[in-house]
Amino acid sequence: AVPLHYSADKNVKRIQLYPSTVTVKCLVPKRLYNSIDATDFEANVCIGSDSINHLQPVVTRFPANVRVKSISPEKVQYIIIQ
């Protein structure tokens, strides 16, 4: 599971994401399979003033020889904490 990070408007102090992790499915060369780890990946969502209840995570960091196929779940929910 890859931890989910967020970027938000300066008006948003803190949020809680549900779920807080995503599963990334990818294609990896066989010779690199055993060396790939969840820490090699980073996933983010962007929260703006026009955001609705669901956000789509995006993989923003992954190894050069890896091709991302899917992210699960495709959408996450968030709560703004005052």
Side-chain angles (χ1 to χ4, degrees):
V2 177
L4 196 53
H5 303 279
Y6 66 89
S7 59
D9 287 347
K10 58 186 171 198
N11 298 335
V12 177
K13 302 264 190 263
R14 200 175 99 188
I15 67 164
Q16 180 66 46
L17 298 170
Y18 295 102
S20 61
T21 62
V22 292
T23 300
V24 177
K25 291 186 181 178
C26 54
L27 296 176
V28 180
K30 190 174 182 178
R31 63 184 168 79
L32 297 177
Y33 182 79
N34 290 327
S35 65
I36 300 296
D37 188 76
T39 58
D40 297 328
F41 296 83
E42 185 173 291
N44 290 291
V45 293
C46 185
I47 301 160
S49 57
D50 60 342
S51 295
I52 54 174
N53 290 341
H54 294 85
L55 302 168
Q56 185 172 3
V58 176
V59 178
T60 54
R61 184 175 53 88
F62 55 93
N65 296 338
V66 170
R67 188 167 38 175
V68 174
K69 295 299 285 180
S70 66
I71 304 170
S72 179
E74 292 180 356
K75 296 189 184 243
V76 296
Q77 293 181 317
Y78 70 97
I79 297 174
I80 297 174
I81 300 170
Q82 299 293 340

